[in-house]
Amino acid sequence: MLGVLALLGVAAAPVLAQAPDDEVVHITAVPDRAEVRPGDQVAIAVVMSFAEGWHSHTNAPKIPKSWEDFFAIPTTIDLVDSVGIKFGPVQWPAAEVLKLDLAATGTPVDYGVFAGKAIAYVPASIDPAASGQATVTIKVRYQACNDKTCLLAKTVTVPVTLKIVPAGTPSATIADPDLFKGFDTASFAAVGQAPKADTGFETEVFGYKIAFDAGSAAGLALLLGLSVVGGFVLNLTPCVLPVIPLKVMGLSHSAGNPRRALFLGIVMSVGVIAFWLSIGVAISTLSWFKAVNQLFQQPWFTIGVGVFIALMATGMLGLFDINLPGFVYLIDPKTESPAGSFVFGIMTAVLSTPCTAPFMGAAAAWSTKQPIIVTLATFGAIGFGMAIPYLVLAAFPKLVSRVPKSGPGSALVKQVMGLFMLGVAVFFLGSGLDPLLRLPVDPPMRWHWWVVALLVVAASAWMIGRSLKIMKPGPLLVFLVVAGLGVSAGGVAFAVQQTDRGPIKWVGYTQERFDQARAEKKVIVLDFTAEWCLNCKALEGTVLNRKDVADALNAPGVVAFRVDLTGENKPGQAKLQELKWAGIPLLAIFGPGTPEPVKFDSYTPQLVTSALAKAAGGR
């Protein structure tokens, strides 16, 4: 056995053990009959058989007050839907009350557990059009304990195969009536029904907690208002800022025609809103898609965005004569068109998905648990908020009328922006290739940041050199030279910062490591991040890597986990969904002093150190 410190206790507390728990727990899944007809209702018994003296926590553990902050891992049953079968909520067995002292207080108390032979039932119905056979995959996660020892949590996968016979076949009898005598047939009524949505909304922004019930008309209006604000702030994130000058330059071509400028601005805004609405539809209808950031967890998507931006950058540099694909020409700022504005709106929204903004992430996560009409309204509000700046610029074209429309100045702006856009393309290409070359728990390679820095320096040098040639001496020229030197230095400094591993002793996240740290009563920090998440990097560099914060994260009794969602990290995504969050960045802090994790998507050094101190308070 692996001796680890006690489950949230003192030296005498029970220890976690690594043991072959097949000897103490045996799990099977049995349908009430092996052959079913289309349209039949069937019950599946999930049988948990425990060796004498062993038990597991229930699905909803009720911790005795004398155990204080004892951490119990609940038993869960997850079902992977099979084509042609719908499931209802699990019918859990009653808890068996035992006298236990798992927190090592010295006094055993009553505690409800699953022990002996505990049977959970899953009601299911067969689709009227089903045929052949169907396999149901049942995943049971539990933690086995006795009065002195708890094993590490384990997940057991049990398949159940049902043979679907023709509709006219006589109904089969229940093979083992005694096994199903505890099943409540009334639970069949809930099969296929979506659970009632929880309308409570809660988030925390820079230490200010916001909580209200969004189920009422006033609450929903407030939620949609926060979504609009979150969408608007997306324009200020490093994901979107690089492309805003492109749109300003494009609108400047129509500044002399207010009606056309307004029309093109509206079309672009429709593109932005259409993209966010499509995300809402996907989240509501696709079982595997539950978070916006899942797009960039697919390397092919990230690489595709990088290729697309690289083609745009090539056009900005004036190289359209190399016969690029036709869709690239739609984005040429020299030729504003309705199709180009619409595609540009979609592209701007796509670029925003690696980043989240205050309110936006929490609102998006909340909406994924709501009816589809509410989900679409929320994502539509995010899209509208993001589109507001472009609508304002289009409605008041004089704001961009002084942007050069032709001549050497206009060409220089496009060339410099083209080089910057190439840097953005390299960022996405490198972020897409990175997860293909390593495991999620391994540190990122980050080689591409030096290529980005090289392109930033090249863009700045070209801006300075050409400005000295085409501009007359004056304050504007001085400003451009100073700005170019500053941007060059900033690009190199940023590359140095991004390739530096930093002072924090990060641990790659796995559920097993997390469970062990909880059992050892440690303060746990989960930093959900990704190589494509510029907000995450900004927060890491300016907040987490500060000496006082880094020292607190490296302190004894604190485990700092990096949950890297650069690629398809299924355990990391599952943990994000477990925390009821949709996007990143997210910093979640657990500890004896915080029964519920503290969650931030925007934070200051003081907020992090205060949360760490509070989390350690119960130790």
Side-chain angles (χ1 to χ4, degrees), residues 272-350:
V272 173
I273 296 171
F275 172 81
W276 282 106
L277 284 175
S278 68
I279 292 293
V281 171
I283 285 176
S284 299
T285 58
L286 301 177
S287 60
W288 58 270
F289 187 76
K290 291 302 177 188
V292 180
N293 61 66
Q294 281 182 253
L295 289 172
F296 283 90
Q297 288 176 23
Q298 307 297 326
W300 59 265
F301 182 83
T302 310
I303 293 172
V305 171
V307 171
F308 183 80
I309 295 174
L311 291 174
M312 283 184 54
T314 303
M316 294 294 293
L317 291 169
L319 301 177
F320 278 141
D321 56 342
I322 63 174
N323 197 26
L324 295 173
F327 67 85
V328 177
Y329 297 83
L330 295 175
I331 316 298
D332 182 4
K334 295 180 297 185
T335 57
E336 278 284 299
S337 65
S341 295
F342 184 79
V343 174
F344 195 94
I346 293 175
M347 187 210 69
T348 304
V350 169

Side-chain angles (χ1 to χ4, degrees), residues 15 33 236 300 362 382 391 396 472 509 518 533 554 569 574:
V15 297
R33 53 196 182 279
L236 306 180
W300 59 265
I382 292 172
L391 287 172
F396 302 96
K472 297 179 180 179
Y509 169 81
R518 284 300 296 265
C533 178
N554 290 332
N569 183 350

Side-chain angles (χ1 to χ4, degrees), residues 530-543:
E531 288 303 290
W532 39 259
C533 178
L534 295 179
N535 281 19
C536 306
K537 292 181 174 297
L539 287 169
E540 181 179 341
T542 59
V543 178

Side-chain angles (χ1 to χ4, degrees), residues 471 474-481:
M471 295 183 64
L476 179 58
L477 178 59
V478 173
F479 170 78
L480 290 176
V481 171

Side-chain angles (χ1 to χ4, degrees), residues 461-546:
W462 184 255
M463 180 180 72
I464 293 173
R466 290 293 297 160
S467 296
L468 290 172
K469 285 187 176 182
I470 66 176
M471 295 183 64
K472 297 179 180 179
L476 179 58
L477 178 59
V478 173
F479 170 78
L480 290 176
V481 171
V482 172
L485 293 174
V487 170
S488 294
V492 174
F494 193 71
V496 171
Q497 181 189 63
Q498 294 307 310
T499 52
D500 182 7
R501 297 300 175 187
I504 302 170
K505 299 174 184 176
W506 293 109
V507 177
Y509 169 81
T510 67
Q511 183 63 46
E512 292 74 21
R513 292 174 180 174
F514 177 86
D515 291 341
Q516 183 168 322
R518 284 300 296 265
E520 293 175 353
K521 204 175 183 181
K522 292 186 175 181
V523 173
I524 297 174
V525 178
L526 297 181
D527 179 30
F528 290 85
T529 184
E531 288 303 290
W532 39 259
C533 178
L534 295 179
N535 281 19
C536 306
K537 292 181 174 297
L539 287 169
E540 181 179 341
T542 59
V543 178
L544 300 184
N545 285 347
R546 273 183 42 148

Side-chain angles (χ1 to χ4, degrees), residues 352-408:
S352 73
T353 54
C355 293
T356 57
F359 308 123
M360 176 260 169
W366 175 87
S367 73
T368 62
K369 307 296 182 182
Q370 308 305 316
I372 185 171
I373 187 66
V374 177
T375 303
L376 293 180
T378 304
F379 279 89
I382 292 172
F384 176 74
M386 188 177 181
I388 286 176
Y390 311 106
L391 287 172
V392 171
L393 290 174
F396 302 96
K398 289 185 178 181
L399 295 175
V400 296
S401 59
R402 294 188 179 182
V403 176
K405 305 177 184 60
S406 60

Side-chain angles (χ1 to χ4, degrees), residues 154-192:
K154 183 175 181 180
T155 300
V156 175
T157 300
V158 184
V160 175
T161 300
L162 298 171
K163 181 180 179 181
I164 303 174
V165 297
T169 305
S171 176
T173 58
I174 296 178
D176 188 352
D178 288 339
L179 182 62
F180 292 89
K181 63 183 180 182
F183 176 66
D184 183 3
T185 56
S187 62
F188 280 129
V191 171

